Amino acid sequence: MAFRAGIALATSALSGEEDLRSGGPWVLSLVVFPACSLLCLAFILRNHRRRERADGQREHDSASSTAETGESVSSER
Protein backbone atom coordinates (compact mmCIF):
# COMPACT_ATOMS: atom_id res chain seq x y z
CA MET A 1 0.00 0.00 0.00
CA ALA A 2 2.84 2.38 0.84
CA PHE A 3 4.48 1.58 -2.49
CA ARG A 4 1.29 2.46 -4.34
CA ALA A 5 0.95 5.75 -2.48
CA GLY A 6 4.57 6.59 -3.34
CA ILE A 7 4.01 5.78 -7.00
CA ALA A 8 0.87 7.94 -7.00
CA LEU A 9 2.87 10.81 -5.52
CA ALA A 10 5.62 10.52 -8.12
CA THR A 11 3.18 10.15 -11.00
CA SER A 12 1.13 13.16 -9.95
CA ALA A 13 4.27 15.30 -9.69
CA LEU A 14 5.38 14.31 -13.17
CA SER A 15 1.98 14.84 -14.74
CA GLY A 16 1.64 18.12 -12.83
CA GLU A 17 4.77 19.43 -14.47
CA GLU A 18 3.37 18.53 -17.89
CA ASP A 19 0.03 20.16 -17.04
CA LEU A 20 1.79 23.30 -15.85
CA ARG A 21 3.64 23.62 -19.16
CA SER A 22 0.57 22.87 -21.29
CA GLY A 23 -1.87 24.97 -19.27
CA GLY A 24 -3.91 22.01 -18.02
CA PRO A 25 -5.40 21.46 -14.54
CA TRP A 26 -2.07 21.67 -12.72
CA VAL A 27 -3.64 22.46 -9.34
CA LEU A 28 -5.02 18.93 -9.11
CA SER A 29 -1.77 17.34 -10.23
CA LEU A 30 0.59 19.43 -8.14
CA VAL A 31 -1.46 20.19 -5.02
CA VAL A 32 -4.45 17.91 -4.45
CA PHE A 33 -3.17 14.49 -5.56
CA PRO A 34 0.25 14.79 -3.85
CA ALA A 35 -1.43 15.95 -0.63
CA CYS A 36 -3.74 12.94 -0.70
CA SER A 37 -0.80 10.63 -1.34
CA LEU A 38 1.18 12.11 1.54
CA LEU A 39 -1.80 11.78 3.87
CA CYS A 40 -2.17 8.16 2.85
CA LEU A 41 1.51 7.51 3.58
CA ALA A 42 1.22 9.23 6.96
CA PHE A 43 -1.78 7.07 7.95
CA ILE A 44 0.03 3.91 6.81
CA LEU A 45 3.08 4.80 8.92
CA ARG A 46 0.90 5.67 11.93
CA ASN A 47 -0.93 2.34 11.75
CA HIS A 48 2.36 0.48 11.34
CA ARG A 49 3.80 2.14 14.44
CA ARG A 50 0.66 1.37 16.45
CA ARG A 51 0.87 -2.29 15.47
CA GLU A 52 4.57 -2.44 16.36
CA ARG A 53 3.89 -0.87 19.76
CA ALA A 54 1.00 -3.24 20.43
CA ASP A 55 3.10 -6.27 19.46
CA GLY A 56 5.97 -5.08 21.65
CA GLN A 57 3.60 -4.48 24.55
CA ARG A 58 2.14 -7.99 24.16
CA GLU A 59 5.63 -9.50 24.13
CA HIS A 60 6.59 -7.47 27.20
CA ASP A 61 3.40 -8.49 29.04
CA SER A 62 3.86 -12.17 28.22
CA ALA A 63 7.50 -12.04 29.35
CA SER A 64 6.46 -10.33 32.59
CA SER A 65 3.74 -12.86 33.33
CA THR A 66 6.15 -15.71 32.60
CA ALA A 67 8.73 -14.21 34.96
CA GLU A 68 6.12 -13.70 37.69
CA THR A 69 4.89 -17.28 37.33
CA GLY A 70 8.46 -18.59 37.50
CA GLU A 71 9.14 -16.57 40.66
CA SER A 72 6.04 -17.87 42.43
CA VAL A 73 6.85 -21.46 41.51
CA SER A 74 10.44 -21.16 42.75
CA SER A 75 9.35 -19.50 46.02
CA GLU A 76 6.90 -22.31 46.75
CA ARG A 77 9.68 -24.93 46.73
Side-chain angles (χ1 to χ4, degrees), residues 9-40:
L9 178 64
T11 304
S12 65
L14 292 174
S15 66
E17 181 211 357
E18 291 175 13
D19 288 343
L20 189 60
R21 288 183 187 185
S22 67
W26 61 271
V27 174
L28 283 176
S29 301
L30 288 176
V31 178
V32 176
F33 294 148
C36 291
S37 297
L38 289 174
L39 281 173
C40 182

Side-chain angles (χ1 to χ4, degrees), residues 3-71:
F3 179 75
R4 287 183 182 178
I7 293 296
L9 178 64
T11 304
S12 65
L14 292 174
S15 66
E17 181 211 357
E18 291 175 13
D19 288 343
L20 189 60
R21 288 183 187 185
S22 67
W26 61 271
V27 174
L28 283 176
S29 301
L30 288 176
V31 178
V32 176
F33 294 148
C36 291
S37 297
L38 289 174
L39 281 173
C40 182
L41 282 171
F43 285 127
I44 290 169
L45 289 173
R46 183 189 66 165
N47 289 338
H48 179 70
R49 284 187 177 178
R50 283 184 177 176
R51 279 191 224 134
E52 293 248 337
R53 262 192 233 133
D55 289 344
Q57 185 66 29
R58 275 190 230 124
E59 290 174 5
H60 177 70
D61 290 345
S62 67
S64 297
S65 66
T66 304
E68 290 172 1
T69 305
E71 290 173 2

